[in-house]
PDB file of all heavy atoms in Angstrom:
ATOM      1  N   THR D 643     -17.526  34.184  29.720  1.00  0.00           N
ATOM      2  CA  THR D 643     -17.793  35.060  30.868  1.00  0.00           C
ATOM      3  C   THR D 643     -17.554  36.533  30.554  1.00  0.00           C
ATOM      4  O   THR D 643     -17.872  37.387  31.384  1.00  0.00           O
ATOM      5  CB  THR D 643     -16.925  34.647  32.073  1.00  0.00           C
ATOM      6  OG1 THR D 643     -15.563  34.544  31.657  1.00  0.00           O
ATOM      7  CG2 THR D 643     -17.384  33.332  32.652  1.00  0.00           C
ATOM      8  N   VAL D 644     -17.001  36.848  29.379  1.00  0.00           N
ATOM      9  CA  VAL D 644     -16.828  38.253  29.002  1.00  0.00           C
ATOM     10  C   VAL D 644     -17.822  38.656  27.914  1.00  0.00           C
ATOM     11  O   VAL D 644     -17.688  39.731  27.316  1.00  0.00           O
ATOM     12  CB  VAL D 644     -15.392  38.551  28.546  1.00  0.00           C
ATOM     13  CG1 VAL D 644     -14.401  38.212  29.637  1.00  0.00           C
ATOM     14  CG2 VAL D 644     -15.051  37.829  27.241  1.00  0.00           C
ATOM     15  N   TYR D 645     -18.809  37.827  27.656  1.00  0.00           N
ATOM     16  CA  TYR D 645     -19.803  38.141  26.608  1.00  0.00           C
ATOM     17  C   TYR D 645     -20.513  39.451  26.915  1.00  0.00           C
ATOM     18  O   TYR D 645     -21.006  39.669  28.021  1.00  0.00           O
ATOM     19  CB  TYR D 645     -20.829  37.009  26.514  1.00  0.00           C
ATOM     20  CG  TYR D 645     -22.005  37.317  25.605  1.00  0.00           C
ATOM     21  CD1 TYR D 645     -21.829  37.372  24.228  1.00  0.00           C
ATOM     22  CD2 TYR D 645     -23.265  37.566  26.140  1.00  0.00           C
ATOM     23  CE1 TYR D 645     -22.904  37.658  23.391  1.00  0.00           C
ATOM     24  CE2 TYR D 645     -24.348  37.844  25.312  1.00  0.00           C
ATOM     25  CZ  TYR D 645     -24.161  37.893  23.934  1.00  0.00           C
ATOM     26  OH  TYR D 645     -25.218  38.186  23.117  1.00  0.00           O
ATOM     27  N   ILE D 646     -20.557  40.334  25.925  1.00  0.00           N
ATOM     28  CA  ILE D 646     -21.268  41.602  26.050  1.00  0.00           C
ATOM     29  C   ILE D 646     -22.277  41.642  24.896  1.00  0.00           C
ATOM     30  O   ILE D 646     -21.926  41.385  23.741  1.00  0.00           O
ATOM     31  CB  ILE D 646     -20.281  42.798  26.059  1.00  0.00           C
ATOM     32  CG1 ILE D 646     -20.965  44.081  26.497  1.00  0.00           C
ATOM     33  CG2 ILE D 646     -19.555  42.981  24.749  1.00  0.00           C
ATOM     34  CD1 ILE D 646     -19.984  45.206  26.843  1.00  0.00           C
ATOM     35  N   PRO D 647     -23.541  41.936  25.172  1.00  0.00           N
ATOM     36  CA  PRO D 647     -24.595  41.550  24.229  1.00  0.00           C
ATOM     37  C   PRO D 647     -24.842  42.470  23.031  1.00  0.00           C
ATOM     38  O   PRO D 647     -25.639  42.114  22.177  1.00  0.00           O
ATOM     39  CB  PRO D 647     -25.846  41.498  25.122  1.00  0.00           C
ATOM     40  CG  PRO D 647     -25.554  42.430  26.245  1.00  0.00           C
ATOM     41  CD  PRO D 647     -24.075  42.360  26.468  1.00  0.00           C
ATOM     42  N   PHE D 648     -24.202  43.620  22.946  1.00  0.00           N
ATOM     43  CA  PHE D 648     -24.525  44.538  21.862  1.00  0.00           C
ATOM     44  C   PHE D 648     -23.316  44.751  20.956  1.00  0.00           C
ATOM     45  O   PHE D 648     -22.205  45.009  21.429  1.00  0.00           O
ATOM     46  CB  PHE D 648     -25.014  45.867  22.421  1.00  0.00           C
ATOM     47  CG  PHE D 648     -26.224  45.730  23.312  1.00  0.00           C
ATOM     48  CD1 PHE D 648     -26.109  45.858  24.689  1.00  0.00           C
ATOM     49  CD2 PHE D 648     -27.467  45.437  22.782  1.00  0.00           C
ATOM     50  CE1 PHE D 648     -27.209  45.717  25.509  1.00  0.00           C
ATOM     51  CE2 PHE D 648     -28.578  45.288  23.588  1.00  0.00           C
ATOM     52  CZ  PHE D 648     -28.451  45.426  24.961  1.00  0.00           C
ATOM     53  N   GLU D 649     -23.540  44.681  19.642  1.00  0.00           N
ATOM     54  CA  GLU D 649     -22.446  44.770  18.686  1.00  0.00           C
ATOM     55  C   GLU D 649     -21.747  46.121  18.746  1.00  0.00           C
ATOM     56  O   GLU D 649     -20.515  46.204  18.629  1.00  0.00           O
ATOM     57  CB  GLU D 649     -22.962  44.510  17.266  1.00  0.00           C
ATOM     58  CG  GLU D 649     -21.883  44.562  16.194  1.00  0.00           C
ATOM     59  CD  GLU D 649     -20.753  43.560  16.422  1.00  0.00           C
ATOM     60  OE1 GLU D 649     -21.001  42.480  17.001  1.00  0.00           O
ATOM     61  OE2 GLU D 649     -19.617  43.868  16.004  1.00  0.00           O
ATOM     62  N   ASP D 650     -22.509  47.219  18.942  1.00  0.00           N
ATOM     63  CA  ASP D 650     -21.855  48.532  18.996  1.00  0.00           C
ATOM     64  C   ASP D 650     -20.946  48.644  20.217  1.00  0.00           C
ATOM     65  O   ASP D 650     -19.908  49.317  20.176  1.00  0.00           O
ATOM     66  CB  ASP D 650     -22.886  49.665  18.968  1.00  0.00           C
ATOM     67  CG  ASP D 650     -23.857  49.629  20.138  1.00  0.00           C
ATOM     68  OD1 ASP D 650     -23.977  48.574  20.800  1.00  0.00           O
ATOM     69  OD2 ASP D 650     -24.519  50.657  20.388  1.00  0.00           O
ATOM     70  N   GLN D 651     -21.300  47.944  21.318  1.00  0.00           N
ATOM     71  CA  GLN D 651     -20.429  47.951  22.488  1.00  0.00           C
ATOM     72  C   GLN D 651     -19.194  47.090  22.271  1.00  0.00           C
ATOM     73  O   GLN D 651     -18.091  47.450  22.707  1.00  0.00           O
ATOM     74  CB  GLN D 651     -21.203  47.469  23.718  1.00  0.00           C
ATOM     75  CG  GLN D 651     -22.297  48.431  24.147  1.00  0.00           C
ATOM     76  CD  GLN D 651     -22.959  48.015  25.439  1.00  0.00           C
ATOM     77  OE1 GLN D 651     -22.625  46.992  26.039  1.00  0.00           O
ATOM     78  NE2 GLN D 651     -23.916  48.816  25.893  1.00  0.00           N
ATOM     79  N   ARG D 652     -19.345  45.962  21.591  1.00  0.00           N
ATOM     80  CA  ARG D 652     -18.165  45.146  21.269  1.00  0.00           C
ATOM     81  C   ARG D 652     -17.215  45.932  20.370  1.00  0.00           C
ATOM     82  O   ARG D 652     -15.989  45.869  20.525  1.00  0.00           O
ATOM     83  CB  ARG D 652     -18.591  43.837  20.618  1.00  0.00           C
ATOM     84  CG  ARG D 652     -19.335  42.897  21.556  1.00  0.00           C
ATOM     85  CD  ARG D 652     -19.525  41.535  20.932  1.00  0.00           C
ATOM     86  NE  ARG D 652     -20.533  41.535  19.892  1.00  0.00           N
ATOM     87  CZ  ARG D 652     -21.778  41.090  20.047  1.00  0.00           C
ATOM     88  NH1 ARG D 652     -22.179  40.622  21.211  1.00  0.00           N
ATOM     89  NH2 ARG D 652     -22.635  41.105  19.037  1.00  0.00           N
ATOM     90  N   GLU D 653     -17.781  46.669  19.437  1.00  0.00           N
ATOM     91  CA  GLU D 653     -16.952  47.481  18.542  1.00  0.00           C
ATOM     92  C   GLU D 653     -16.213  48.565  19.315  1.00  0.00           C
ATOM     93  O   GLU D 653     -15.037  48.820  19.078  1.00  0.00           O
ATOM     94  CB  GLU D 653     -17.844  48.106  17.465  1.00  0.00           C
ATOM     95  CG  GLU D 653     -17.068  48.790  16.355  1.00  0.00           C
ATOM     96  CD  GLU D 653     -17.975  49.228  15.223  1.00  0.00           C
ATOM     97  OE1 GLU D 653     -18.854  48.441  14.817  1.00  0.00           O
ATOM     98  OE2 GLU D 653     -17.818  50.361  14.750  1.00  0.00           O
ATOM     99  N   GLU D 654     -16.887  49.181  20.288  1.00  0.00           N
ATOM    100  CA  GLU D 654     -16.280  50.277  21.064  1.00  0.00           C
ATOM    101  C   GLU D 654     -15.280  49.753  22.080  1.00  0.00           C
ATOM    102  O   GLU D 654     -14.163  50.288  22.201  1.00  0.00           O
ATOM    103  CB  GLU D 654     -17.378  51.070  21.786  1.00  0.00           C
ATOM    104  CG  GLU D 654     -16.864  52.227  22.629  1.00  0.00           C
ATOM    105  CD  GLU D 654     -16.332  53.377  21.794  1.00  0.00           C
ATOM    106  OE1 GLU D 654     -17.020  53.785  20.841  1.00  0.00           O
ATOM    107  OE2 GLU D 654     -15.222  53.861  22.095  1.00  0.00           O
ATOM    108  N   TYR D 655     -15.643  48.722  22.820  1.00  0.00           N
ATOM    109  CA  TYR D 655     -14.869  48.314  23.994  1.00  0.00           C
ATOM    110  C   TYR D 655     -13.845  47.213  23.722  1.00  0.00           C
ATOM    111  O   TYR D 655     -13.061  46.868  24.603  1.00  0.00           O
ATOM    112  CB  TYR D 655     -15.807  47.877  25.115  1.00  0.00           C
ATOM    113  CG  TYR D 655     -16.785  48.946  25.540  1.00  0.00           C
ATOM    114  CD1 TYR D 655     -18.133  48.656  25.745  1.00  0.00           C
ATOM    115  CD2 TYR D 655     -16.368  50.264  25.727  1.00  0.00           C
ATOM    116  CE1 TYR D 655     -19.030  49.631  26.135  1.00  0.00           C
ATOM    117  CE2 TYR D 655     -17.265  51.248  26.103  1.00  0.00           C
ATOM    118  CZ  TYR D 655     -18.594  50.929  26.311  1.00  0.00           C
ATOM    119  OH  TYR D 655     -19.476  51.906  26.694  1.00  0.00           O
ATOM    120  N   ILE D 656     -13.857  46.639  22.500  1.00  0.00           N
ATOM    121  CA  ILE D 656     -12.863  45.633  22.118  1.00  0.00           C
ATOM    122  C   ILE D 656     -12.068  46.089  20.900  1.00  0.00           C
ATOM    123  O   ILE D 656     -10.843  46.107  20.898  1.00  0.00           O
ATOM    124  CB  ILE D 656     -13.532  44.274  21.820  1.00  0.00           C
ATOM    125  CG1 ILE D 656     -14.024  43.620  23.110  1.00  0.00           C
ATOM    126  CG2 ILE D 656     -12.568  43.338  21.116  1.00  0.00           C
ATOM    127  CD1 ILE D 656     -12.922  43.103  24.016  1.00  0.00           C
TER     128      ILE D 656
END
Side-chain angles (χ1 to χ4, degrees):
T643 51
V644 302
Y645 172 71
I646 193 166
F648 302 106
E649 181 59 30
D650 60 342
Q651 293 186 359
R652 292 190 286 258
E653 189 172 316
E654 180 71 47
Y655 302 135
I656 288 289

